[in-house]
Amino acid sequence: MKIAVFFVGEVQDAGFNASALAGAERAGQSPGVAITLVSGVRYDQDEIRARLAEVVPEVDGLVFIGGQGNIATPEIAARYPDKRFAIVQGQKTGPNLASYDVRQEDSAYLAGVLAAHLTLTGTVGHLSGHRVRPGLKGRAAFVAGVAHAAPDVAVLTGFCGTQDDSQVTRAWAEAEIKAGADVIFTMLNDARRGAIEACRAGGARQIGNALDWVARDPEVFVASAMARIDIGVERAIADMAAGHVPGDIVEFGLADGDAVSLRMGEDVPEAAAAAVASAAEDIRAGRITVPDTYDGAEFQPDAALCDD
């Protein structure tokens, strides 16, 4: 079966796409599956639609990586009812369309609990790129985690409009640090480099996401909100190859092995680590419901920096 795996941006982004790529590569080793990678597509719905229209006639199925696919993928799935489609981190389903959601919000909530316990200034930050559903849910969860652990801690939260421009993310992170944030949770791809530079220069700690950033840079990263996007991709491709289209969104959360977790550095105090472990158990047991919406204030360092 010929399956295209469709990426917005570059696959080697040291983040979300890189994790998805690992899953696609493993799935491609399965007998009877031939994987084609489509990448470098800008986050622009017209460009996404145009590229999908080029790719879909040449394959039997397509897996779209990221919530950016929630608009265009259902449209093209309806045009090609004889082909199979899936969105990883998606929210749409149909007769030939499945969605898989690695619950980044679960680990984002734990990141909020940790940030609230670590801050010395009483202010923490959040920085993400595009306003897609997974990122919005992650922001809501992080803010809720902070409030759960320490309601008096202030949160500076913003979407800078890019996942690739490190100059923009550095400016945003610098502005949050200048405004008092000493711990920043980032949901970024290749543009994370700018936030890393800002944190290193400003003496702030960062909590990463998707990959294990603690292992990569323990000086800057105190933790990383792990989300095994690769697991969602593997499952999507396996289901597609088997001809199975789940009717409901398939979720992977804290209760599903290592799909989601918070990786903490060795310098995290025991009390903070214990608070994170307690919150994780409460989420698994259903005693904590992780919210997926946020309607509070947003941080705007400078209107010229925001291109979304």
Side-chain angles (χ1 to χ4, degrees):
M1 185 177 186
K2 297 179 181 179
I3 299 175
V5 182
F6 191 101
F7 294 84
V8 173
E10 300 302 325
V11 292
Q12 296 294 354
D13 65 350
F16 179 89
N17 283 354
S19 178
L21 174 62
E25 290 177 337
R26 288 198 301 271
Q29 297 172 9
S30 302
V33 174
I35 300 295
T36 298
L37 301 179
V38 180
S39 65
V41 183
R42 289 188 306 117
Y43 179 43
D44 175 86
Q45 289 299 329
D46 288 338
E47 182 170 328
I48 289 171
R49 289 185 179 97
R51 194 72 180 100
L52 286 172
E54 294 174 359
V55 173
V56 169
E58 306 300 323
V59 297
D60 303 307
L62 181 138
V63 177
F64 196 109
I65 305 300
Q68 297 95 331
N70 279 324
I71 297 174
T73 311
E75 296 173 357
I76 199 159
R79 287 169 50 193
Y80 290 89
D82 59 328
K83 297 179 183 287
R84 301 169 193 163
F85 298 84
I87 310 170
V88 176
Q89 303 310 90
Q91 298 292 317
K92 304 293 183 178
T93 60
N96 62 334
L97 171 62
S99 278
Y100 301 81
D101 186 14
V102 180
R103 289 180 53 87
Q104 297 179 91
E105 59 266 34
D106 287 356
S107 54
Y109 188 99
L110 301 182
V113 171
L114 180 63
H117 278 273
L118 295 182
T119 181
L120 299 178
T121 63
T123 300
V124 301
H126 153 271
L127 181 60
S128 192
H130 301 146
R131 291 180 183 274
V132 295
R133 184 68 175 143
L136 291 167
K137 291 197 296 182
R139 186 263 294 278
F142 175 74
V143 174
V146 173
H148 171 82
D152 57 334
V153 170
V155 183
L156 309 177
T157 169
F159 286 79
C160 64
T162 180
Q163 289 285 9
D164 304 303
D165 191 331
S166 287
Q167 184 176 352
V168 171
T169 54
R170 175 162 186 162
W172 273 73
E174 285 175 344
E176 289 192 354
I177 293 169
K178 185 177 180 180
D182 58 349
V183 182
I184 301 178
F185 173 52
T186 54
M187 296 184 73
L188 299 167
N189 294 340
D190 193 47
R192 187 185 305 279
R193 290 181 293 111
I196 292 173
E197 293 167 0
C199 287
R200 197 183 308 279
R205 301 301 297 275
Q206 190 172 155
I207 301 175
N209 82 307
L211 305 182
D212 185 354
W213 285 95
V214 175
R216 294 172 178 234
D217 192 344
E219 179 185 354
V220 170
F221 289 89
V222 69
S224 197
M226 304 286 287
R228 295 284 307 278
I229 308 302
D230 58 312
I231 292 176
V233 174
E234 280 192 279
R235 173 68 179 276
I237 293 173
D239 282 352
M240 186 173 289
H244 177 53
V245 182
D248 297 321
I249 298 171
V250 179
E251 292 188 329
F252 305 87
L254 280 175
D256 301 295
D258 65 347
V260 175
S261 62
L262 185 69
R263 162 84 158 93
M264 292 178 283
E266 295 180 357
D267 55 343
V268 170
E270 289 186 10
V276 169
S278 177
E281 184 55 36
D282 285 345
I283 292 172
R284 292 189 190 96
R287 292 187 291 270
I288 290 177
T289 300
V290 178
D292 59 7
T293 59
Y294 170 80
D295 57 3
E298 296 208 15
F299 180 70
Q300 287 288 352
D302 185 332
L305 295 177
C306 185
D307 63 3
D308 68 338

